Amino acid sequence: MTASFAYPPARHDDRLHAYPGITVPDPYGWLEDPDSPETQAWVAAENAVTQGFLDTIPQRSQIQSRLTQLWNFERYGIPFRKTLPTGVDRYFYFKNNGLQNQSVLYVQDGLDGESRVLLDPNLLSEDGTVALGGISVSEDGQLLAYSLSRSGSDWREWWVRDVASGDDLPDHLYWSKFSQAAWSHDHQGFYYGRYDAPQAQTQFAEANYFQKLYYHRIGTPQSEDVLIYHRPDQKEWGFGGQITEDGRYLIIGVCLGTDSRNLLFYQDLHQDNAPIVELISDFEAGFAVVGNVGSQFWLWTDLDAPKGRLIAVDFQNPDRAHWQEIIPEAEETLERVSLINHQFVATYLKDAASQVKCFDRSGQCFQDLPLPGLGSVEGWGGKAQDSDTFYSFTSFTSPSTIYRYDFKTGESTLFRQPTVDFDPSLYETHQVFVPSADGTLVPLFLTHKKGLVLDGQNPTYLYGYGGFNVSLTPSFRVSVAVWLEMGGIYAVANLRGGGEYGEAWHQAGMKAHKQNVFDDFIAAAQWLISQGYTSTPKLAIAGGSNGGLLVGACMTQRPDLFGAALPAVGVMDMLRFHQFTIGWAWCAEYGSPEDPQDFPVLYAYSPLHNLQPGTAYPATLITTADHDDRVVPAHSFKFAAALQAAHGGEAPVLIRIETKAGHGSGKPIAKMIEEVADQWAFLVQVLDIPITAP
């Protein structure tokens, strides 16, 4: 495949860490300090080796050119509406002309009004590395709260802009993370979550505890923000504010790390000094407020219904004996419910593809809304009295198209449809169900050119995630479109640990059951080979974040099965993940290395700790970023150093370290194109993929 590599030297030191019943070496622990001269020298040397290899691949420039060409299409976000005091509907939406590094926020008065730029993040930095983190518009449509992220960091700074003039107000808030803004209905301010200021030298690695919920009044300094709720006795609790449609209640969602179970508190804003009432006070299930009329609330929950249901709760009479079930649990997974046009619009997942159903307020289903095909739906936002709404539909071969739905006529009309230089008619998507090691059937989407020959020679990109209740549903990606044009198969596995089949499916892939996720992915790979779709020399596996862990675990457990591995921003050190930034929150999903019961499970599959010297590992391109403060780059750094030391084969095992980038959110289009071009070029080389000019 390729000659042996001279990898940069990585010092092997003698540091040790104590865990329940065992002491574990951490020879590359010095790489946890991203700013040390030694680490920076190692990073530079690794990038030089990786770039040197990529520069030898003649097809790379062709791939990058096609990615740039295909990415250059106009795309829109789903519009949302606010009504001005004059009664005029003001619409807000995102748009990207094609190759803009960041999408631009537009506003217009009326559906047919003239649009204008409200906020263009591309003007905030020369290289596109300042991105919008979140936006929230006041109920009267006149003020915009927006947060900015720099170089991909999870830290957010909040600003406020006057919508009419486009000018920023003096308000500027720091040290917010994992928070949106919720405006009070008097338009005087908003609720948001923040942390105490970290130490400057450790702000991208320091563990984040003790989030607090504040109220910021417009025109006042952050030092005068009112502390609404915090729990000094619960350092791991996080808080999110939500204002009900009638403006009366502040809903406080309380999370414990990444646990899918949560608490719900509320405060009556129509009463002076009203107490915060604990409606849901035990972490026993997930709850989300759908809407209310007065004290009558509708909640989505998976309590006693792993696939979700809708219940009614009266805040004036909240005893559980008085709860009413409105929409019962179904065979399909109930993802979310909206209250629009005084009815419920429910979005379901059936085998990881979207379905939409309408229910009246008594819970009677009266309509199934037709969709264009096998794909994913987003949107259905609005207010109870709205008679129309917007939604988007996408599939593996069709980019997101936006529709306007009229509840009076029951019709969907095309609102925005992108034009892409890609012919979906040449490709097909179908779904199969693969038996895992224990017999569980795992859904697998396959997208490829029509007329595919099952001769085992098709380059295949097998993608997965398998965790945190996240569902992988059909969606269009420019990078995948280019892969398909190159003759590749795109395979997406819906592994246990995800949310495709509700909470039971999630729990079957977490903590002590995490091995099920890896078994599911390995089974998908074996099935693809056994059915003649591909073969080991043509098979690449990929995933990011928790999906990077997936790839790392599978390539260490079955190095013989895969031709290539692309772990991105992965959680590779399962013994120290909880020591950095928000990593402690993942103990709800993985378990804790400090727990005697969890430790042996984590140690058994931790990618960093299961590399075996002398083993021939598949060709590997690890990707991470120097500003990733979600999964700190030390995970990938240490795994790369250990992999290169252990590797007994000739296939390249490389790491690509992006600068001025983070976990992925807000990454500029230019950087995305460069990274994908490098990944596809790497696979062209190591999987021996012949490509010709389109």
Side-chain angles (χ1 to χ4, degrees):
M1 181 183 299
T2 175
S4 297
F5 275 72
Y7 298 108
R11 178 170 58 86
H12 193 287
D13 69 19
D14 57 0
R15 73 180 64 194
L16 301 169
H17 301 295
Y19 298 98
I22 190 174
T23 299
V24 180
D26 187 16
Y28 303 108
W30 54 272
L31 286 167
E32 290 179 354
D33 181 358
D35 298 319
S36 74
E38 186 177 21
T39 298
Q40 292 183 341
W42 179 86
V43 166
E46 289 285 352
N47 270 342
V49 170
T50 300
Q51 195 60 50
F53 175 76
L54 295 172
D55 286 344
T56 67
I57 304 172
Q59 300 93 333
R60 189 198 176 282
S61 60
Q62 178 184 337
I63 294 169
Q64 181 165 352
S65 176
R66 180 56 180 154
L67 283 165
T68 304
Q69 180 184 16
L70 194 53
W71 227 301
N72 192 14
F73 70 96
E74 195 172 66
R75 47 198 179 274
Y76 289 81
I78 300 172
F80 66 94
R81 166 176 51 210
K82 296 291 183 180
T83 302
L84 298 174
T86 59
V88 172
D89 287 335
R90 177 169 277 175
Y91 292 85
F92 301 81
Y93 62 93
F94 283 96
K95 176 187 173 184
N96 193 304
N97 291 335
L99 295 177
Q100 290 175 292
N101 278 318
Q102 305 291 339
S103 293
V104 179
L105 180 62
Y106 286 80
V107 62
Q108 65 187 58
D109 291 345
L111 265 182
D112 299 320
E114 183 178 352
S115 65
R116 58 184 173 85
V117 173
L118 177 56
L119 180 59
D120 184 355
N122 299 290
L123 303 178
L124 303 178
S125 62
E126 292 184 0
D127 57 4
T129 57
V130 174
L132 271 177
I135 65 168
S136 180
V137 179
S138 62
E139 199 61 25
D140 63 356
Q142 300 192 67
L143 292 175
L144 167 73
Y146 67 95
S147 66
L148 297 179
S149 166
R150 302 182 187 278
S151 300
S153 171
D154 278 337
W155 287 117
R156 303 288 189 261
E157 298 174 31
W158 284 97
W159 303 78
V160 180
R161 177 162 294 192
D162 181 274
V163 175
S165 68
D167 296 331
D168 281 336
L169 305 184
D171 305 73
H172 189 190
L173 313 179
Y174 295 91
W175 307 121
S176 182
K177 185 182 281 196
F178 314 123
S179 173
Q180 293 297 316
W183 285 89
S184 55
H185 278 215
D186 61 4
H187 327 304
Q188 298 302 304
F190 56 84
Y191 299 86
Y192 74 105
R194 81 166 195 248
Y195 293 88
D196 292 337
Q199 297 293 320
Q201 65 272 24
T202 59
Q203 61 179 290
F204 298 117
E206 183 179 320
N208 305 132
Y209 292 112
F210 296 111
Q211 190 184 37
K212 300 177 177 69
L213 184 67
Y214 282 90
Y215 180 76
H216 172 72
R217 182 170 292 277
I218 301 303
T220 64
Q222 187 175 23
S223 59
E224 295 181 11
D225 287 357
V226 178
L227 178 61
I228 301 299
Y229 195 79
H230 75 133
R231 288 294 293 268
D233 60 325
Q234 299 289 348
K235 69 177 184 178
E236 296 180 350
W237 283 17
F239 309 103
Q242 174 187 352
I243 303 298
T244 54
E245 187 176 311
D246 58 11
R248 177 169 180 174
Y249 294 96
L250 167 66
I251 306 296
I252 302 176
V254 184
C255 63
L256 179 59
T258 57
D259 198 325
S260 56
R261 301 170 296 178
N262 64 286
L263 312 181
L264 276 184
F265 303 162
Y266 70 89
Q267 184 180 39
D268 189 339
L269 299 178
H270 287 189
Q271 297 180 17
D272 292 335
N273 301 314
I276 291 176
V277 180
E278 297 187 4
L279 178 68
I280 307 295
S281 55
D282 293 318
F283 287 102
E284 56 182 321
F287 293 89
V289 172
V290 171
N292 72 297
V293 173
S295 64
Q296 172 90 353
F297 275 72
W298 292 280
L299 309 178
W300 173 95
T301 184
D302 57 10
L303 178 67
D304 300 324
K307 292 186 177 180
R309 60 179 176 143
L310 186 73
I311 62 173
V313 178
D314 191 333
F315 279 15
Q316 300 301 318
N317 196 8
D319 292 342
R320 296 197 176 191
H322 301 291
W323 290 8
Q324 294 180 310
E325 184 172 78
I326 305 301
I327 302 177
E329 183 181 28
E331 285 297 316
E332 299 81 15
T333 302
L334 180 59
E335 278 200 301
R336 56 189 176 273
V337 182
S338 300
L339 177 60
I340 316 174
N341 194 45
H342 305 291
Q343 66 189 56
F344 297 116
V345 178
T347 304
Y348 288 90
L349 281 184
K350 179 176 175 57
D351 296 328
S354 292
Q355 292 183 334
V356 181
K357 300 176 183 288
C358 292
F359 296 80
D360 63 24
R361 295 257 288 266
S362 70
Q364 294 297 311
C365 181
F366 63 87
Q367 187 179 16
D368 285 22
L369 299 181
L371 298 177
L374 191 71
S376 305
V377 165
E378 296 289 343
W380 303 103
K383 296 184 177 181
Q385 71 270 20
D386 289 348
S387 59
D388 69 336
T389 188
F390 298 90
Y391 69 92
S392 68
F393 177 85
T394 182
S395 71
F396 288 117
T397 55
S398 301
S400 184
T401 299
I402 299 173
Y403 297 86
R404 178 175 175 262
Y405 183 78
D406 189 326
F407 287 94
K408 294 177 181 178
T409 64
E411 294 182 352
S412 291
T413 55
L414 187 64
F415 186 71
R416 295 286 187 271
Q417 183 174 29
T419 301
V420 187
D421 183 24
F422 175 77
D423 186 357
S425 68
L426 301 178
Y427 306 91
E428 61 183 352
T429 296
H430 56 105
Q431 188 179 43
V432 297
F433 296 87
V434 176
S436 190
D438 62 359
T440 299
L441 293 179
V442 178
L444 180 66
F445 286 110
L446 299 174
T447 303
H448 52 72
K449 286 183 177 179
K450 293 178 179 177
L452 185 77
V453 178
L454 301 183
D455 59 1
Q457 296 304 302
N458 301 297
T460 300
Y461 183 86
L462 175 59
Y463 183 83
Y465 187 79
F468 295 91
N469 206 29
V470 172
S471 300
L472 294 187
T473 61
S475 64
F476 181 82
R477 295 166 60 187
V478 172
S479 58
V480 171
V482 172
W483 176 255
L484 295 173
E485 289 182 337
M486 290 162 54
I489 296 173
Y490 180 53
V492 176
N494 298 114
L495 313 171
R496 280 175 283 186
E500 291 87 350
Y501 293 106
E503 184 58 22
W505 188 255
H506 172 213
Q507 292 186 16
M510 58 186 287
K511 291 191 173 181
H513 306 294
K514 188 67 176 177
Q515 184 60 41
N516 286 336
V517 184
F518 313 137
D519 289 344
D520 291 353
F521 204 52
I522 290 169
Q526 292 173 322
W527 186 90
L528 288 165
I529 293 171
S530 69
Q531 299 300 307
Y533 283 92
T534 193
S535 56
T536 291
K538 298 291 185 181
L539 176 60
I541 55 172
S545 195
N546 175 74
L549 161 63
L550 168 72
V551 173
C554 289
M555 65 178 281
T556 52
Q557 292 182 15
R558 287 297 308 273
D560 60 307
L561 187 57
F562 315 108
L566 299 178
V569 292
V571 187
M572 299 303 200
D573 185 346
M574 298 308 298
L575 303 188
R576 287 182 57 74
F577 69 87
H578 62 309
Q579 299 288 337
F580 306 100
T581 62
I582 202 65
W584 58 264
W586 312 332
C587 291
E589 182 79 12
Y590 298 137
S592 170
E594 298 174 11
D595 186 308
Q597 290 186 323
D598 295 337
F599 172 80
V601 176
L602 294 164
Y603 194 33
Y605 71 76
S606 176
L608 177 65
H609 300 94
N610 283 277
L611 291 163
Q612 300 299 321
T615 300
Y617 288 100
T620 303
L621 180 61
I622 303 163
T623 52
T624 188
D626 64 350
H627 276 68
D628 190 342
D629 52 3
R630 183 88 54 85
V631 180
V632 294
H635 284 277
S636 295
F637 291 178
K638 294 199 294 183
F639 183 70
L643 174 63
Q644 290 172 351
H647 186 39
E650 294 188 347
V653 288
L654 306 172
I655 182 169
R656 180 188 189 278
I657 303 155
E658 184 63 83
T659 58
K660 294 190 72 176
H663 198 60
S665 176
K667 183 179 290 187
I669 295 293
K671 285 184 179 288
M672 293 171 64
I673 290 173
E674 290 175 359
E675 182 175 344
V676 174
D678 286 345
Q679 291 172 324
W680 284 173
F682 180 81
L683 293 184
V684 162
Q685 181 72 14
V686 301
L687 300 184
D688 191 20
I689 303 174
I691 64 171
T692 57

